[in-house]
Amino acid sequence: MGGGQQELQGPDLSLGIPVADLADGAMLLGHANGDAVLLARRADEIFAIGATCTHYSGPLAEGLLVEDTVRCPWHHACFSLRTGEPVGAPALNPLPCWRVERTGDRIRVTDKSERDPLAPSDEPTRGVTRTRARIHAAHAVAPSTRPPERIVIVGAGAAGNAAAEMLRRLGYGGKVTMLDAEPDEPYDRPNLSKDYLAGNAPEEWIPIRSHEFHAEHGIDLVRNAQVSTLDLPRREVQLTTGATHGYDRLLLATGAEPVRLPIPGADRAHVHYLRSLTNSRAIIEKAKASKRAVVIGASFIGLEVAASLRARELEVHVVAPERLPLERVMGADLAKFVKALHEEHGVVFHLEDTVTAIGDGDVTLKSGGTLPTDMIVIGVGVRPRVALAEQARLAMDRGVVVNEMLETSAPHVFAAGDIARYPDPYTGERIRVEHWVHAQRQGQAAARNMLGVGYPYDDVPFFWSAHYDVSINYVGHAEQWDEMIVDGDPFARDVAVRFQRAGRALAIASIFRDTVSLEAEVTMELQGQS
Ligand SMILES: Cc1cc2nc3c(=O)[nH]c(=O)nc-3n(C[C@H](O)[C@H](O)[C@H](O)COP(=O)(O)OP(=O)(O)OC[C@H]3O[C@@H](n4cnc5c(N)ncnc54)[C@H](O)[C@@H]3O)c2cc1C
Ligand code: FES
């Protein structure tokens, strides 16, 4: 999934350090036998785990300790200090652990152990805060005495793949079948508009899991498998090929699809959308033979594509109707910075404008005139892929309606990820969220609930977006706010913007304020639980 090794820093922990060097609640970065090791202390307990996040190699020593877990500063993965288990996505692989020996007033790390990624989970809950654990315990129902025999997952994206893995981590021994319309193994979708598209990520960073991995763990992934019908009374799904798969529990994780622009010429061969690995590869191929590109839409994906095409030295024009890119989501201060950042890298904006027609070698602007171009990428938003759910007449509300256990209106049918509209405990509203980490965590929660564990989904949404060397992190969910508090300066790349409604923080967007972002997440979690 990418990233590199951190340089070894700090003391050699295999030789030992005075215990007084590690205060209660503190972390210390060191190394042992060539591995970066993170020591963490909770009262009299001292833990030693790998210091490098298994997602994109984030530096865990710069993260946040929460109870007996550590959260990564970059994309908020959460690991158990006791076992190294990745108790919160986006990390799916565990960290190594070391034994800590205490002799008098010194401690040293000794034996290293590594767990299998799908080893049975030691965490009945995500293990993030005691309050949270108590709440989960209160909701927990006894796992059904007869576990389901067959679980079918439609969609092997963020939510589907995370759900399949979690089923095995929970020790589920029944049949797991994952059906996906695409030809590829599960892959790192966020990277498709970032390093991969820019040419900075090797192919091996992109797959999340290999065919062998699924086979080894008894996950039957059927690719090129487009599910066309969901038959509730018969408890089966049917593929376009006519093949059927019966289920005892079903997870719908069909994601979203790009909104298509109904303008003349939008079906031309040099017009691209970006959702899948196939799409990203097609854009790369076209970019190799192009000098100029027009990106229609200043969405996160549109802007990330613009940055990646600039990295490939194409001339890039972005056409979008808004006054400032991302202003509706991020507010004016961050939007001005994002615009300036892209301009600094040579992107030319045509804002408060739209494309009315696409020709062979140019696009026509509403404001008049044309822009010559060799290729076009359209990024004007996505809509949830709900055809299956609609056909089965599940309850819908701009997405598939689910309860706190992520169960749809049909018994034994669950939904997670981009398609699911769920009750958000923090705001009390029903929301639908289109983020990678959120989809993975919903998939993991749905896995628990399909086994009858009773695991209400209450994670705080989180996403990141990367533009050149700047990553914007966003925690919470604010569709509308009445107050925006800016702490710091986006242009100094040091800022946290708080979006509030009726005096209550709904979300925080930040640049290089990782601790603030992590702390906000914990605060919102606790408030959502109270
Ligand atoms: C280019 C790009 C960059 C992104 N960057 C970020 C980012 O930086 N940060 C972030 O938080 N989010 C990002 N996102 C959003 C994030 O990827 C999605 O929110 C997330 O993938 C949603 O997960 P999901 O499991 O709901 O759907 P998906 O990951 O889209 O998976 C759905 C799967 O279902 C399959 N499917 C659909 N219908 C059927 C059917 N009928 N039969 C069989 N299979 C079917 C699809 O082929 C697909 O593989 C990005 C998205 C894209 C496209
Ligand atoms: S690098 Fe740690 S969560 Fe992404």
Side-chain angles (χ1 to χ4, degrees), residues 97-344:
C97 291
W98 284 261
R99 216 155 61 76
V100 181
E101 242 177 43
R102 185 166 179 166
T103 316
D105 62 354
R106 288 184 73 78
I107 44 174
R108 73 182 191 97
V109 305
T110 61
D111 310 330
K112 179 183 177 183
S113 61
E114 299 196 58
R115 60 188 286 140
D116 182 272
L118 301 197
S121 175
D122 300 303
E123 302 280 343
T125 71
R126 215 185 100 211
V128 284
T129 63
R130 291 214 174 96
T131 314
R132 183 191 183 91
R134 271 204 306 275
I135 295 227
H136 284 301
H139 278 83
V141 295
S144 44
T145 41
R146 262 215 353 231
E149 284 174 18
R150 301 161 305 170
I151 295 183
V152 171
I153 298 170
V154 184
N161 178 68
E165 294 199 10
M166 183 52 82
L167 287 169
R168 292 296 181 232
R169 277 168 61 182
L170 293 168
Y172 175 62
K175 192 167 160 53
V176 178
T177 307
M178 194 155 52
L179 306 166
D180 198 288
E182 292 184 32
D184 303 289
E185 302 291 327
Y187 54 82
D188 184 359
R189 198 176 300 278
N191 213 325
L192 301 183
S193 49
K194 305 181 180 70
D195 282 342
Y196 185 69
L197 187 57
N200 300 327
E203 280 291 333
E204 59 265 28
W205 284 13
I206 299 306
I208 292 177
R209 296 299 190 201
S210 65
H211 174 70
E212 291 71 31
F213 181 90
H214 287 119
E216 192 186 325
H217 294 95
I219 297 168
D220 186 13
L221 169 59
V222 189
R223 290 162 294 165
N224 298 305
Q226 173 84 34
V227 178
S228 53
T229 317
L230 163 53
D231 187 334
L232 293 174
R234 296 169 74 99
R235 286 204 195 165
E236 68 178 28
V237 294
Q238 188 172 55
L239 308 187
T240 44
T241 57
T244 56
H245 292 266
Y247 64 82
D248 300 307
R249 299 287 182 278
L250 176 70
L251 176 62
L252 295 178
T254 46
E257 61 198 344
V259 171
R260 306 270 152 177
L261 261 195
I263 53 172
D267 53 354
R268 288 175 187 265
H270 66 309
V271 179
H272 297 261
Y273 291 87
L274 177 52
R275 182 73 194 183
S276 65
L277 184 51
T278 307
N279 298 153
S280 188
R281 286 184 176 143
I283 296 172
I284 290 169
E285 281 315 304
K286 184 65 189 169
K288 283 180 185 164
S290 300
K291 289 198 164 57
R292 295 165 301 192
V294 166
V295 176
I296 304 179
S299 60
F300 285 105
I301 289 180
L303 292 174
E304 288 184 353
V305 168
S308 296
L309 294 180
R310 284 300 300 139
R312 288 181 179 271
E313 299 186 351
L314 272 75
E315 182 185 315
V316 178
H317 292 255
V318 175
V319 184
E322 51 266 48
R323 192 179 65 106
L324 285 169
L326 307 181
E327 184 177 11
R328 192 182 57 78
V329 185
M330 297 275 178
D333 296 69
L334 280 177
K336 282 179 195 157
F337 164 67
V338 168
K339 177 169 180 272
L341 178 65
H342 282 271
E343 284 172 339
E344 222 174 81

Side-chain angles (χ1 to χ4, degrees), residues 36-122:
V37 178
L38 181 72
L39 272 189
R41 181 168 176 181
R42 282 283 174 213
D44 284 338
E45 285 190 288
I46 296 175
F47 306 100
I49 61 170
T52 310
C53 178
T54 57
H55 177 230
Y56 284 179
S57 305
L60 294 176
E62 293 167 27
L64 190 68
L65 282 188
V66 182
E67 305 291 350
D68 55 359
T69 66
V70 60
R71 294 188 191 198
C72 178
W74 288 359
H75 316 111
H76 295 203
C78 179
F79 296 92
S80 163
L81 292 173
R82 295 180 188 283
T83 63
E85 185 182 348
V87 289
L92 296 175
N93 287 321
L95 293 167
C97 291
W98 284 261
R99 216 155 61 76
V100 181
E101 242 177 43
R102 185 166 179 166
T103 316
D105 62 354
R106 288 184 73 78
I107 44 174
R108 73 182 191 97
V109 305
T110 61
D111 310 330
K112 179 183 177 183
S113 61
E114 299 196 58
R115 60 188 286 140
D116 182 272
L118 301 197
S121 175
D122 300 303

Side-chain angles (χ1 to χ4, degrees), residues 395-469:
M396 306 292 294
D397 173 17
R398 295 158 294 150
V400 182
V401 173
V402 294
N403 63 18
E404 60 177 353
M405 304 298 175
L406 305 178
E407 194 166 14
T408 69
S409 55
H412 310 310
V413 180
F414 295 74
D418 283 3
I419 60 167
R421 186 168 291 278
Y422 72 103
D424 170 29
Y426 184 73
T427 55
E429 293 165 5
R430 292 191 160 274
I431 62 173
R432 194 177 63 74
V433 173
E434 293 162 357
H435 308 336
W436 179 255
V437 175
H438 167 85
Q440 288 181 310
R441 291 184 179 178
Q442 279 205 337
Q444 293 172 333
R448 292 186 155 97
N449 289 325
M450 286 192 288
L451 298 184
V453 172
Y455 186 88
Y457 183 77
D458 60 7
D459 279 35
V460 175
F462 166 82
F463 79 88
W464 80 100
S465 181
H467 307 255
Y468 312 99
D469 55 345

